[in-house]
Amino acid sequence: MSITDGRGTRVVVVCTANVIRSPFIAELLQSRLKASQAGCLEITSAGVSARPDGKAHRRVREMARAYGVDLESHRTTQLSEATLVQRTVVLCAQREHRRAVLQMRPDLLSSVFTVREFARLMEIAHASDAPPLDWVSAVSAAAQARGHDRFVADEDDNIIDPIGRPDSTWRQFEQHAVQAVSSILASTQHLSAGVAQPAGGERNSAQLMVTRREYRQTLRAVRGA
């Protein structure tokens, strides 16, 4: 099954208000996947209690710019059953969001995760004797990995909501979000996307460039070219 057959190629990142966590994670993932996955994955975001058509929080817009991601045009979207179409993969900021999604669509049980849980499960699937070769198979393998000996359900799978919190909480949010995205990218860089992969297994820097430091280094290299 190829990623280009249209099945399981839609990802929705979910948080509470769709103003900080979900837009940042979704856009960071999308911006890093575009070069290698050729736009085959549609990544959007929504909030279980979002007020429609609001802007991303000022502070997360500034944070996103440090990674070369533009959230200025983001407008908040309320999560609904219409958003959760068949074969949608849902990545939630917290476990309570996962519960809310499954109340709407219990049939999506095998494709709803917290973001950090998904990152850990994808690592297990990628390290298996028969790692998945495409995105759909990878999601299936991640769901099956919940029963793996290496996987332990972790309360720390939640990504904290930093709104109204001190700078240390914002730094924790950023660290956990970026680490999860980086891990997901590392586990999915080899997946088939219907396009040629770099020769010799070379990693695509546009895909895997995640941290602020990596972005600044790449930016300086481009400007100096």
Side-chain angles (χ1 to χ4, degrees):
M1 185 182 297
S2 167
I3 195 172
T4 56
D5 67 6
R7 288 181 281 183
T9 59
R10 188 167 187 269
V11 179
V12 179
V13 185
V14 174
C15 68
T16 302
N18 194 216
V19 295
I20 299 176
R21 292 172 291 179
S22 57
F24 177 72
I25 292 167
E27 289 301 320
L28 188 60
L29 266 173
Q30 185 72 77
S31 68
R32 280 18 178 195
L33 282 170
K34 277 182 179 177
S36 63
Q37 304 290 3
C40 292
L41 282 178
E42 177 194 354
I43 303 178
T44 60
S45 66
V48 297
S49 301
R51 295 181 178 179
D53 209 33
K55 293 183 178 181
H57 191 282
R58 171 191 57 80
R59 189 156 180 175
V60 83
R61 297 201 307 267
E62 295 172 355
M63 182 185 294
R65 282 196 293 271
Y67 291 89
V69 175
D70 185 1
L71 287 179
E72 296 301 324
S73 62
H74 171 75
R75 294 297 179 266
T76 53
T77 300
Q78 170 71 38
L79 182 70
S80 67
E81 289 190 32
T83 309
L84 304 172
V85 296
Q86 193 72 13
R87 300 187 180 91
T88 296
V89 177
V90 188
L91 304 181
C92 304
Q94 296 179 200
R95 289 184 176 187
E96 65 185 66
H97 303 136
R98 183 173 183 270
R99 288 193 291 269
V101 170
L102 291 175
Q103 284 177 353
M104 292 184 186
R105 291 293 302 272
D107 57 308
L108 294 180
L109 179 63
S110 63
S111 60
V112 183
F113 312 84
T114 68
V115 176
R116 298 180 75 192
E117 174 195 30
F118 186 68
R120 295 192 296 122
L121 290 168
M122 289 292 276
E123 286 180 354
I124 294 173
H126 179 60
S128 68
D129 293 335
L133 299 178
D134 57 66
W135 172 258
V136 177
S137 298
V139 173
S140 177
Q144 293 173 15
R146 283 180 171 138
H148 197 283
D149 291 342
R150 285 180 52 195
F151 180 74
V152 178
D154 192 342
E155 291 293 339
D156 290 338
D157 276 341
N158 291 339
I159 293 180
I160 195 168
D161 185 355
I163 195 163
R165 309 288 291 274
D167 289 348
S168 59
T169 305
W170 279 89
R171 288 193 295 270
Q172 182 184 13
F173 153 66
E174 179 182 0
Q175 178 185 27
H176 287 171
V178 171
Q179 284 178 344
V181 169
S182 180
S183 179
I184 291 169
L185 291 174
S187 298
T188 59
Q189 58 150 330
H190 68 291
L191 299 181
S192 170
V195 296
Q197 296 299 305
E202 181 182 347
R203 299 192 310 174
N204 187 309
S205 61
Q207 175 193 11
L208 296 179
M209 177 188 65
V210 176
T211 68
R212 291 189 185 206
R213 181 180 179 183
E214 288 171 334
Y215 172 70
R216 288 194 297 266
Q217 288 175 338
T218 302
L219 195 62
R220 284 196 295 268
V222 170
R223 288 174 174 173

